[in-house]
Amino acid sequence: NKPEEDEVTEVNNEQCSKEEEVKIELTPLNYQIIEYCKLISLSEQQKQNMSKTISIFKNRMANAFPEWEVKLFGSFMQNTQTIYSDLDFVVIKSEDEYITNERMLKNIRNVLHSSREWKEIKYIPASVPIIKATCKSTGIHVDISVNRSNVVEAAEIIKNKLDTYPHLRTFMKVM
């Protein structure tokens, strides 16, 4: 499928900025990057498994902690996920509730342990402590942090830029 090296390929607005179509000359490296992105892109089944995992986690948290808010950030939210991606969640407590981040994470861990939907549940004490877990039915790995609204804000900024310049998604996947 590789055209001659001097062939110019049109790139449509979905791949570039919304304002204009551009013509670029693709090099052999461009084709290698495009093929690599195809190789690491999720299948429809993998996308469905990620969506199912999101629903399972959000439902479990809503049942156990209805006053807490669950938000998704990271590659899935930005549509840059690959076959190597996990799901990144942040759980945010209500403003009037007093509970330490460590206690929140331990409560979340306990709820995941008590359900039959999760395995390999680990509390990781670090400068930003998280819980790592795997959804039994989908095999999708999740990372869960708490009370870090800045990660959601940063993810929104990146998502907005990627919506404006969709061709950057390929770059993000390769990174």
Side-chain angles (χ1 to χ4, degrees), residues 79-96:
N79 197 22
T80 58
Q81 71 275 19
T82 70
I83 58 174
Y84 306 109
S85 297
D86 61 7
L87 290 170
D88 300 298
F89 291 100
V90 61
V91 180
I92 301 172
K93 68 177 177 69
S94 61
E95 293 204 15
D96 59 341

Side-chain angles (χ1 to χ4, degrees), residues 105-122:
L105 283 167
K106 287 181 179 179
N107 288 351
I108 293 167
R109 182 190 62 194
N110 291 342
V111 165
L112 296 180
H113 271 298
S114 68
S115 79
R116 296 182 177 170
E117 301 158 329
W118 301 94
K119 63 182 182 177
E120 301 169 3
I121 303 159
K122 297 177 186 144

Side-chain angles (χ1 to χ4, degrees), residues 29-140:
L29 178 59
N30 294 119
Y31 289 106
Q32 288 176 345
I33 291 169
I34 291 166
E35 288 303 311
Y36 179 70
C37 284
K38 288 178 188 175
L39 182 69
I40 63 172
S41 292
L42 296 178
S43 68
E44 283 307 310
Q45 181 62 51
Q46 290 166 318
K47 288 177 188 175
Q48 289 173 4
N49 283 344
M50 285 203 155
S51 294
K52 179 179 177 183
T53 304
I54 292 166
S55 294
I56 290 170
F57 181 73
K58 284 187 169 187
N59 289 337
R60 175 62 56 199
M61 291 298 102
N63 290 334
F65 311 107
E67 67 282 1
W68 295 356
E69 188 175 3
V70 176
K71 294 188 176 189
L72 186 65
F73 68 99
S75 62
F76 191 83
M77 179 229 182
Q78 297 163 356
N79 197 22
T80 58
Q81 71 275 19
T82 70
I83 58 174
Y84 306 109
S85 297
D86 61 7
L87 290 170
D88 300 298
F89 291 100
V90 61
V91 180
I92 301 172
K93 68 177 177 69
S94 61
E95 293 204 15
D96 59 341
E97 183 177 8
Y98 178 77
I99 185 171
T100 65
N101 289 349
E102 183 178 0
R103 174 52 39 207
M104 276 183 76
L105 283 167
K106 287 181 179 179
N107 288 351
I108 293 167
R109 182 190 62 194
N110 291 342
V111 165
L112 296 180
H113 271 298
S114 68
S115 79
R116 296 182 177 170
E117 301 158 329
W118 301 94
K119 63 182 182 177
E120 301 169 3
I121 303 159
K122 297 177 186 144
Y123 172 74
I124 311 293
S127 58
V128 177
I130 62 170
I131 294 174
K132 289 187 164 288
T134 303
C135 181
K136 285 182 182 178
S137 64
T138 65
I140 302 294

